Amino acid sequence: MNIAVIGTGYVGLVTGVALSEIGHTVTCIDVDPKKIAKLNQGIPTIYEPGLSEMMLNNQQRGRLHFTDQHRVGLADADVVYLAVGTPQRADGSADLQYIEQAALDVAGHIRRSAIIVIKSTVPVGTNLRIKQLMLDHLHPGVTIRIASNPEFLREGSAIHDTFHGDRIIIGTEDKDTASVLESMNKPFGIPVIKTDIASSEMIKYASNAFLATKISFINEIANLCEKLGANVEEVAKGMGLDHRIGSSFLRAGIGYGGSCFPKDTNALVQLAGNHHHDFNLLKSVIEVNNHQRRLLIEKMLGRFGSLTGKKVAVLGLAFKPNTDDLRESPALVLIPELARLGAEIVCYDPIAADQGTKWINVSAQYTENVADALKDADCALIITDWPDIKRMDPKTYGRLMRQAIVFDGRNCYSIPQARAARMEYYSIGRPDVVPEISK
Ligand SMILES: NC(=O)c1ccc[n+]([C@@H]2O[C@H](COP(=O)([O-])OP(=O)(O)OC[C@H]3O[C@@H](n4cnc5c(N)ncnc54)[C@H](O)[C@@H]3O)[C@@H](O)[C@H]2O)c1
Ligand SMILES: O=c1ccn([C@@H]2O[C@H](COP(=O)(O)OP(=O)(O)O[C@H]3O[C@H](CO)[C@@H](O)[C@H](O)[C@H]3O)[C@@H](O)[C@H]2O)c(=O)[nH]1
């Protein structure tokens, strides 16, 4: 099939590449000419494991194209995916200006009838509003059908998730559209759930809100564990073995970040409020997350009294490992707060350091490796559980730092490991490790 994908961000680019990989002819369109120029040179504009090879391979086979010209990209399209951003507005609701503009761009340029698939995460009711908006601007004789097809990929494992997802949700008004999209997606071999448009839109928000709830729940249990002398990892393991609970998304830490959970939980609270429903549970999930982000600063102040002049090695900037994405990363809250408290900041991130220099507007030094960041530091603060940080011998801290004092927001090391390395170790929901010598 001939497919056009509007937007070449994390979702649009991965979707376009994956659809070309299963044999479709895909043209990805973006309004950012710099992105398109880079993509046309075979260079991905985001970091995602496995993306680069797959993209280049399909470009060379002539199945994957990039353009900033809607007229060119839409010329042969049978199906058009809208995969542009739906960021958060100041009041927490979803900002739909980009998807509305993308819909108008398509309506203005498309000259043949097509199925419009909305992949962006949008509040319930948006698909039908977008359809009406497009109908008002289509060329005479052109017809469209609309489908909701929310995306569930995770950053850092986007290619894997696209080929091994748990389900593909297709929300449509008519059976024919659903059948076309189902057969188009068949090569993925993933179960397809066909439903109505409103339910499809809601499945996306409900899924993200539920996962965020699991994280805030375990973080609250973690905070209680600290007070009661329990270890949250033992607790999560014991809980997760109950298949009704499941072990995933029970990793306690400094809270969820990223481009989705924070914005989608806020958008669902807003959507509920617009319909006179006070979503108290979700409001608490958000509040717990906001508090969780600051926990380690409180622990640092408790340990040092003041951070003025203390050299802090910040390990990891991205909101999770294997991505260069800093959107809503706890680093964006913690690093400015450290600067405000007078700390000297040295940051390390294997992939997201460049983004750090763009997004974090406080004075900080960036290093190429962990060792340079740790050298002569008064303490380390782990924000992202990158594999090279997790796999590092914990004794390294003592070898390089003034004193091996580590505040770990991702529970990278076990308590016995920390004890054996003679670190002073503060983590989340587990007992503090304070060697005799530090007391
Ligand atoms: N990032 C994720 O992991 C993820 C996962 C599932 C769902 N989603 C949802 O998917 C949507 C896209 O998210 P993203 O992270 O890929 O966004 P992104 O910000 O990474 O990318 C959006 C892209 O759209 C382009 N764009 C904006 N307006 C355009 C227009 N009129 N025509 C063509 N291109 C245009 C931008 O230049 C940008 O390249 C959002 O609704 C998001 O909530 C994201
Ligand atoms: O047990 C856990 C699991 C995750 N996290 C944090 O939660 C955030 C989100 O992680 P993850 O869900 O792995 O990454 P995302 O790429 O944000 O993916 C989520 O958001 C996407 C956008 O909507 C959805 O498509 C995915 O299904 C959904 O998992 C990160 O900060 C993680 O560190 C925890 O703190 N504890």
Side-chain angles (χ1 to χ4, degrees), residues 182 224 323:
E182 183 175 24
L224 204 49
T323 179

Side-chain angles (χ1 to χ4, degrees), residues 10-11 48 121 150-158 161 167 204 207-208 211-212 214-216 218-219 247-264 289 292-293 318-321 323 325 327-330 383-385 409-410:
Y10 286 86
V11 169
E48 240 349 293
T121 303
E151 179 54 61
F152 299 98
L153 64 78
R154 291 163 301 172
E155 288 181 25
S157 53
D161 292 351
R167 76 298 206 194
K204 176 64 195 172
S207 301
N208 274 1
L211 293 171
K214 261 187 123 175
I215 298 171
S216 278
I218 200 67
N219 282 337
S247 59
S248 61
F249 280 73
L250 285 184
R251 266 181 297 115
I254 43 172
Y256 59 77
S259 68
C260 293
F261 287 174
K263 90 170 165 68
D264 292 346
N289 198 56
Q292 200 69 15
R293 288 181 174 189
F319 79 96
K320 62 181 284 193
T323 179
D325 199 346
R327 288 179 284 184
E328 291 286 337
S329 168
I383 293 184
T384 320
D385 42 348
R410 298 296 179 188

Side-chain angles (χ1 to χ4, degrees), residues 298-305 403 405 407 424 426 438:
E298 284 163 23
K299 289 193 187 199
M300 289 164 100
L301 286 171
R303 168 62 176 82
F304 290 110
Q403 229 185 314
I405 306 179
F407 297 86
E424 188 173 332
Y426 302 92
S438 313

